[in-house]
Amino acid sequence: MRSISIFGATGSIGQNTVDLIARDRSRYRVVAVTGGANIARLAQDAIRLNAEIAVTAHADRFEDLRAALSGSGVAVAAGEAALIEAADRPVDWVMSAIVGAAGLAPGFRALRHGGTLALANKESLVTAGPLLLAEARAHGATILPVDSEHSAVFQALAGEDIAAVERIIITASGGGLRDWPVEALARATVADAGAHPNWAMGQRITIDSASMFNKGMELIETREFFGVPPSRIETVIHPQSIIHALVGFNDGALMAHLGAPDMRHAIGYALNWPERRDLPVARLDLAQIATLEFRAPDPRRYPALRIAREVMETRGGAGAVFNAAKEIALDGFVAGRIGFMDMATVVDRTLDAMASQICLTSSMANLEEVLMTDHMARKTAWTQIAKMES
Ligand code: NAD
Ligand code: MG
């Protein structure tokens, strides 16, 4: 029986993970499940999975969680330190699906036991890629990508020599505004940007798809995880989201990964790796799909891609600044303080302003430095937003 923990169990990735585990209960011993403010869901899943401990990130919700789990035999804890303690419990497999910078520390901690870290939390690789990979190496741990594109690349690379890879192509749906005239984008509202044609996701990641800041994050993730130089990483718009990524080899072969847009594929692949087992995902009917389209992304429409490329070249602290600035820019957009296209301007200006304060090109020494850079970048990004308003 494999022991597992799920960090961010109550979120979108977390719930898909819970679904897969619950279907195959007898194969797993669930140690920790964690969540945030949704106490009812956390308690319900802890009971359903017979977890050893349930942890809410909110220290002030301890009593609520305790009440919800009283008599269940599930231990209860709350707060940031409790999340780290949960990560200290050794298990064979950990799902890292907390959203944002809060997911970094538990993921790092879990690597200390060796075992496998299924990594959904994008921010870990974007802000601290080299540190995370070094930590995994130091403890003999395995990191498996859970973002669908990176899982697709990982699968296309199975049994291959990375030295024979000529290029990695990450596909992008183009987001909800992909067919709008470029000139109209500046007027796009939160509701316009928050509707996705293919994937059902939260509002923030859906807006990040429309702006392609999400794809920018994924390009950086690709660079960090697979160690391929930026010149060999491309992105192409593929509106159907059927091909998730392609890997091109030096003999001209291009291996594509196709699948229904369902995150349970990437999660299930990481859960069953190195085996493949049945997964409850829809099978593709190619004759019915009939056509797969591709087009090059227009750089005027998606400045986020250019910025991400600059970050891939700079590395060091640039990833942490990029991630923090694009989150604050999104907050500013959602709050109605800046327009849709201004988000890229905020990120550009934050990177410039930060580069004049600290050396962005030097490597991050440790997690504390990453979090400090994140904190500074957030403040700087708000300053840029305020300047743009005045
Ligand atoms: P979500 O918002 O649906 O869920 C996030 C989870 O993190 C919840 O369990 C929440 O309670 C918890 N959480 C939030 N703030 C926290 C904090 N401060 N401390 C501790 N826990 C906290 O997010 P999601 O869509 O499931 O995404 C999770 C991660 O996976 C993100 O990094 C995202 O970019 C990445 N990802 C998501 C998808 C997707 O399809 N949803 C695809 C690829 C990658
Ligand atoms: Mg993705």
Side-chain angles (χ1 to χ4, degrees):
M1 209 161 26
R2 289 175 82 202
S3 54
I4 70 164
S5 288
I6 309 172
F7 287 81
T10 55
S12 163
I13 294 286
Q15 286 291 288
N16 279 311
T17 310
V18 168
D19 174 72
L20 292 178
I21 304 290
R23 285 167 191 265
D24 220 353
R25 253 325 270 117
S26 60
R27 297 192 67 227
Y28 305 103
R29 180 172 66 84
V30 177
V31 175
V33 288
T34 86
N38 193 340
I39 300 296
R41 183 178 286 171
L42 179 61
Q44 186 191 326
D45 286 336
I47 292 169
R48 183 164 163 222
L49 300 179
N50 192 22
E52 281 175 19
I53 185 168
V55 185
T56 165
H58 301 289
D60 58 346
R61 301 298 303 276
F62 176 78
E63 282 305 330
D64 296 338
L65 186 59
R66 194 167 68 168
L69 284 169
S70 81
S72 67
V74 179
V76 172
E80 250 174 78
L83 283 175
I84 301 296
E85 279 166 32
D88 273 336
R89 298 187 176 215
V91 286
D92 302 319
W93 191 88
V94 174
M95 167 53 77
S96 163
I98 288 177
V99 65
L104 261 70
F108 263 82
R109 199 60 168 239
L111 289 172
R112 288 193 186 174
H113 307 296
T116 300
L117 183 72
L119 188 66
N121 177 273
K122 288 177 204 266
E123 296 80 5
S124 295
L125 276 176
V126 171
T127 67
L131 291 173
L132 193 78
L133 298 195
E135 189 74 2
R137 266 194 306 275
H139 300 285
T142 304
I143 301 179
L144 296 175
V146 171
D147 213 340
S148 54
E149 295 77 2
H150 307 81
S151 174
V153 172
F154 189 84
Q155 293 179 52
L157 282 173
E160 303 286 355
D161 181 356
I162 191 85
V165 172
E166 220 168 48
R167 55 187 179 147
I168 293 178
I169 307 174
I170 300 291
T171 60
S173 71
L177 307 177
R178 68 184 173 219
D179 296 321
W180 280 39
V182 179
E183 313 74 52
L185 289 174
R187 293 190 304 273
T189 65
V190 173
D192 294 330
H196 198 282
N198 307 335
W199 297 87
M201 303 181 294
Q203 185 195 52
R204 296 180 69 90
I205 193 165
T206 304
I207 297 174
D208 274 349
S209 292
S211 64
M212 283 235 206
F213 269 109
N214 181 51
K215 210 47 60 180
M217 294 281 281
E218 294 183 351
L219 293 177
I220 302 168
E221 279 182 89
T222 306
R223 197 260 167 276
E224 296 301 337
F225 188 79
F226 297 104
V228 172
S231 59
R232 296 187 175 211
I233 303 171
E234 305 168 16
T235 185
V236 69
I237 295 191
H238 167 44
Q240 290 88 1
S241 300
I242 296 293
I243 297 181
H244 303 304
L246 307 95
V247 177
F249 295 91
N250 54 8
D251 59 358
L254 199 51
M255 306 288 279
H257 180 286
L258 287 73
D262 183 333
M263 285 309 295
R264 289 178 305 177
H265 177 76
I267 298 167
Y269 180 81
L271 186 61
N272 297 324
W273 183 87
E275 291 172 40
R276 283 190 188 270
R277 300 173 67 91
D278 279 5
L279 289 174
V281 298
R283 277 26 178 189
L284 295 179
D285 180 340
L286 292 178
Q288 198 190 357
I289 294 167
T291 338
L292 295 177
E293 297 163 71
F294 305 95
R295 56 183 189 245
D298 175 353
R300 288 174 310 155
R301 184 181 288 277
Y302 302 114
L305 296 179
R306 183 225 354 119
I307 306 174
R309 284 206 172 272
E310 290 167 11
V311 170
M312 286 157 84
E313 297 289 351
T314 311
R315 303 186 74 201
V321 175
F322 176 84
N323 173 64
K326 73 111 180 123
E327 281 192 17
I328 299 304
L330 180 61
D331 288 340
F333 173 59
V334 171
R337 292 178 59 176
I338 56 170
F340 181 74
M341 294 305 282
D342 296 331
M343 288 192 286
T345 311
V346 169
V347 177
D348 258 333
R349 291 183 183 174
T350 304
L351 277 159
D352 286 346
M354 287 288 290
S356 67
Q357 293 172 64
I358 61 172
C359 178
L360 278 190
T361 50
S362 57
S363 334
M364 299 273 100
N366 49 40
L367 203 53
E368 288 67 45
E369 192 178 350
V370 174
L371 296 175
M372 214 171 66
T373 308
D374 171 276
H375 183 74
M376 266 177 84
R378 282 171 202 271
K379 275 176 65 178
T380 308
W382 279 124
T383 308
Q384 301 309 317
I385 291 176
K387 276 190 193 160
M388 285 165 74
E389 284 177 317
S390 59

